[in-house]
Amino acid sequence: MTVDAIHATNVRKVYQTRRWAGWRHRGADGGGRVDDGAVEALSGVSMTIRPGERVGLLGRNGAGKTTFLKIASTLLTPTSGEVLVFGHDVDRDADRVRPLIAVVPQEGKPFFHLTPREQVYTYLRARGFDRTTAKQRTDEALAQMGIEEVADRLSVTLSGGQRQRTMVATVIATEAPLLFLDEPTIGMDPFARRAVWECLRRLTRKGSTILLTTHYLDEAEALAERLYIVDRGRVLVEGTADALKHRVGGTLRVSVPGGDAVRALFAPFGNCVADAEAVHVITEPAQLNEIMDLALRHGLHATVGPVTLEEAFLRAVGRSIDDEAS
Amino acid sequence: MGAFARLPTFRGLGPFLITELRVQLHENMAVATSMTIQAVLLIFVTILAPQYLAVALVGAIIFSFFTLGQRVWNEAAYVRIDHRLNQLYGASPLAPEAYFLGMAGGILLAYLPPILVLVVVAEAILHFSAATAVTLALTSVAVWLFAVSFGYVVSTVFQDMRTIWPYASLFYNLFGILPPVFYPYGLLQPASAVPIALALPPSAATGLVQNALAPGLLSSGDVVLATGSLAAEAAAMFLFAVYWSRRSVRER
Ligand SMILES: Nc1ncnc2c1ncn2[C@@H]1O[C@H](COP(=O)(O)OP(=O)(O)OP(=O)(O)O)[C@@H](O)[C@H]1O
Ligand SMILES: [Mg+2]
């Protein structure tokens, strides 16, 4: 029996903000509930990640993604619940967990007064790699992240995306068995993002496990084999991108320009949402002919596309927001 | 996977110390200007009261080690708050104690050259006796240990850099300049302030060194007080920082 890379059971986190800060800033925010200066960031999160998986953690700002990543990577004490990393309790047995993990922190920056090459190399050395391995891994990681040309300039002179690439290079170079990446591609151009995806796929082929957060849903879809959507400290849904899309009610989206009249016309074919310009019908391929027919007869210009993960996300989280409001 | 299977204390100290040293050496202006306060005070003493130059010179050496604590305070907070690199190192096989001591040690090595210049100048002028040299060396180590440990520990309670600047500079200048660090104990008024000064790390150190320069300056009771409090404060603060470095990896 192989042991899970991450096995989290009912993890809760209540941040205690200082009392004086509490009375000054009391009030609800976008994420957890605020009560007398205490913020419940996680209210019972459970998840299981098997070795070699690439898993994405999605959710609105303040949903609790970073909080979960910090707890699972031994950087934050949970209020209750348990996280096992390769069978070791992150709270009681952090010394056994830490050699097995590496973390790209949210909004992290490399040492400004080191070059990317120095940054990656010295980090590997501090983790205990010998000089030869460290040098070889550094060269590989810099090449994979496409920052060789700037590898010998001080990081303070690099662009935001180049700095972020340096952070990712530092962490992927470890090839640690479990990598936590908190918004690793923020500020990166589309080429750099794809380079990160390729690196992460290669690492999981070699046996590493990856848990990442992102607000780019195309990235989540391209990269993660399984997704958890969290909202207000709870797991809303879990599954593959396809499974999440099926939950929306179909795999195709037909968009027809128009307002309420059009909406009424197409309502029988599936889930309808309207925005300022058009009505979007979520439907299955089997019904496509009928819908297009109807549109033609009414002289409406319909366009067809696949349902995106973004739509599935907006629906899943939107429903949760509505539930909370009512 | 990292090469460390288990985590004995201070594992990874050498490589992390070198990392921090490299970071510091890129900031050569900061190193070059680190002697400004000491130089200004020494010039004042030379002009106003040249008879106290010996005392001021050894005081400047102790003060230099003391203010390294302020640099550790700032650096540890900056790396954590602005760069979040503490997370990179916390979630790694590097021992948290090695992170603390490596940072303090890297800063020490970077700032040592100007201090050594000061020592050479002082030696050329004063021709230290063996007793003075030994006292100066031991008290410098104790003051450094206390200062960097204190700096590291308090750095962990701050949430943003702006709030740190006034506190850090106030603390190190208050305790490094107000008590008899740059001036002789004989000038400290009222006399009841003497035991207080002897109980504070930088002035305890300068008290002992001044006593080595002019044997008999301090009573044997005062020597015991200064030695005891300096040793106890340095040891206790260092041990607490070692404990705290591990405990503070994990936020609450
Ligand atoms: N140190 C803290 N003290 C008090 N509350 C906190 C602290 N850190 C986070 N929170 C709160 O906990 C909740 C979850 O925050 P978290 O950083 O985990 O969100 P996130 O999902 O990572 O959001 P984002 O997408 O914006 O990064 C938020 O309501 C946030 O305000
Ligand atoms: Mg976050």
Side-chain angles (χ1 to χ4, degrees):
Chain A
M1 194 192 97
T2 55
V3 61
D4 291 325
I6 300 181
H7 188 88
T9 317
N10 214 4
V11 180
R12 270 186 81 234
K13 177 65 192 178
V14 179
Y15 287 106
Q16 296 298 338
T17 49
R18 282 191 207 99
R19 198 166 298 143
W20 55 265
W23 64 257
R24 270 171 46 193
H25 303 296
R26 196 171 293 183
D29 62 14
R33 285 153 295 277
V34 179
D35 178 31
D36 291 330
V39 182
E40 181 159 12
L42 295 178
S43 3
V45 167
S46 301
M47 69 173 68
T48 303
I49 299 177
R50 289 176 292 280
E53 270 195 303
R54 286 188 306 272
V55 175
L57 198 53
L58 309 179
R60 286 187 291 159
N61 294 136
K65 304 178 295 295
T66 299
T67 302
F68 183 81
L69 252 60
K70 278 187 165 178
I71 290 173
S73 58
T74 79
L75 297 173
L76 180 68
T77 313
T79 304
S80 63
E82 182 187 64
V83 183
L84 302 180
V85 165
F86 295 112
H88 307 298
D89 188 301
V90 295
D91 218 30
R92 288 194 304 274
D93 222 358
D95 279 0
R96 289 190 186 281
V97 174
R98 285 176 181 152
L100 305 174
I101 62 175
V103 173
V104 175
Q106 182 172 12
E107 296 188 314
K109 290 177 225 150
F111 279 114
F112 279 177
H113 292 98
L114 293 183
T115 66
R117 192 183 307 283
E118 289 175 320
Q119 158 93 21
V120 179
Y121 176 81
T122 56
Y123 183 63
L124 294 178
R125 292 285 293 139
R127 285 186 72 111
F129 289 97
D130 63 63
R131 287 192 179 80
T132 318
T133 314
K135 180 165 184 322
Q136 182 200 334
R137 292 267 185 97
T138 301
D139 292 343
E140 281 168 15
L142 294 172
Q144 282 169 11
M145 288 314 305
I147 43 175
E148 295 132 308
E149 305 99 277
V150 296
D152 297 306
R153 271 167 49 186
L154 291 188
S155 291
V156 69
T157 69
L158 301 184
S159 74
Q162 289 168 335
R163 287 176 188 167
Q164 186 62 19
R165 293 190 202 197
T166 305
M167 289 301 286
V168 174
T170 306
V171 166
I172 60 166
T174 66
E175 299 187 6
L178 175 58
L179 301 177
F180 295 93
L181 302 102
D182 203 348
E183 302 191 25
T185 60
I186 189 128
M188 286 189 192
D189 67 47
F191 294 98
R193 285 172 60 201
R194 278 158 184 78
V196 173
W197 303 352
E198 200 33 60
C199 281
L200 297 182
R201 290 194 191 108
R202 191 176 309 138
L203 281 174
T204 49
R205 279 199 295 273
K206 283 186 172 178
S208 292
T209 309
I210 284 163
L211 178 60
L212 84 157
T213 76
T214 179
H215 290 295
Y216 304 120
L217 294 158
D218 60 330
E219 173 166 301
E221 190 162 3
L223 190 56
E225 298 154 330
R226 214 150 54 78
L227 299 165
Y228 284 86
I229 299 184
V230 290
D231 197 47
R232 279 183 245 104
R234 291 175 196 286
V235 175
L236 276 187
V237 278
E238 174 272 322
T240 62
D242 277 343
L244 296 187
K245 285 192 275 185
H246 275 292
R247 292 170 66 108
V248 179
T251 53
L252 288 180
R253 174 178 28 75
V254 183
S255 302
V256 192
D260 282 344
V262 174
R263 185 179 183 142
L265 196 59
F266 289 92
F269 295 100
N271 229 325
C272 283
V273 257
D275 60 25
E277 275 99 46
V279 172
H280 308 280
V281 194
I282 308 296
T283 186
E284 296 291 354
Q287 295 191 289
L288 193 58
N289 268 340
E290 238 179 304
I291 296 180
M292 295 310 275
D293 239 29
L294 186 65
L296 273 174
R297 268 187 274 126
H298 287 80
L300 295 165
H301 182 76
T303 49
V304 185
V307 165
T308 60
L309 184 59
E310 184 142 333
E311 272 159 325
F313 175 83
L314 290 171
R315 290 299 187 86
V317 176
R319 205 172 297 139
S320 145
I321 297 171
D322 293 344
D323 291 351
E324 184 78 3
S326 61
Chain B
M1 175 173 171
F4 303 143
R6 284 180 302 123
L7 285 174
T9 302
F10 297 114
R11 194 60 110 119
L13 175 61
F16 186 66
L17 190 150
I18 291 169
T19 307
E20 185 61 37
L21 178 61
R22 284 200 202 196
V23 170
Q24 295 297 327
L25 289 183
H26 280 297
E27 299 193 66
N28 37 37
M29 266 315 281
V31 176
T33 58
S34 65
M35 285 291 143
T36 310
I37 294 178
Q38 294 89 313
V40 167
L41 288 174
L42 287 172
I43 290 168
F44 279 12
V45 170
T46 311
I47 295 170
L48 298 173
Q51 70 274 28
Y52 300 140
L53 187 60
V55 162
L57 273 170
V58 293
I61 295 169
I62 300 286
F63 179 81
S64 302
F65 283 106
F66 186 56
T67 52
L68 291 182
Q70 185 181 348
R71 300 201 185 265
V72 171
W73 181 341
N74 275 296
E75 177 73 1
Y78 175 68
V79 168
R80 174 175 59 88
I81 297 167
D82 278 19
H83 288 253
R84 315 238 170 144
L85 288 169
N86 65 313
Q87 296 185 33
L88 218 64
Y89 288 99
S92 89
L94 177 73
E97 299 83 5
Y99 179 79
F100 150 59
L101 204 60
M103 186 174 283
I107 291 176
L108 173 68
L109 290 191
Y111 284 82
L112 208 49
I115 299 179
L116 290 179
V117 170
L118 189 59
V119 170
V120 168
V121 169
E123 162 62 23
I125 297 175
L126 305 175
H127 306 297
F128 294 133
S129 67
T132 308
V134 170
T135 310
L136 184 59
L138 290 178
T139 54
S140 294
V141 171
V143 165
W144 176 78
L145 262 187
F146 173 84
V148 297
S149 304
F150 180 84
Y152 188 80
V153 169
V154 289
S155 83
T156 61
V157 306
F158 285 84
Q159 295 304 322
D160 96 281
M161 290 305 293
R162 273 168 188 274
T163 34
I164 289 184
W165 297 325
Y167 288 104
S169 88
L170 178 73
F171 178 84
Y172 285 92
N173 286 317
L174 195 64
F175 292 100
I177 289 184
L178 199 59
V181 172
F182 283 89
Y183 61 91
Y185 258 83
L187 296 184
L188 181 61
Q189 291 295 335
S192 57
V194 169
I196 299 173
L198 288 173
L200 300 173
S203 40
T206 53
L208 292 168
V209 182
Q210 288 182 23
N211 190 54
L213 283 171
L217 172 77
L218 298 181
S219 70
S220 55
D222 283 347
V223 172
V224 170
L225 170 63
T227 312
S229 52
L230 180 57
E233 284 157 357
M237 201 66 234
F238 178 67
L239 291 177
F240 183 71
V242 164
Y243 157 77
W244 190 251
S245 62
R246 181 167 287 270
R247 149 101 199 242
S248 61
V249 170
R250 210 194 292 275
E251 291 169 41
R252 305 263 122 191

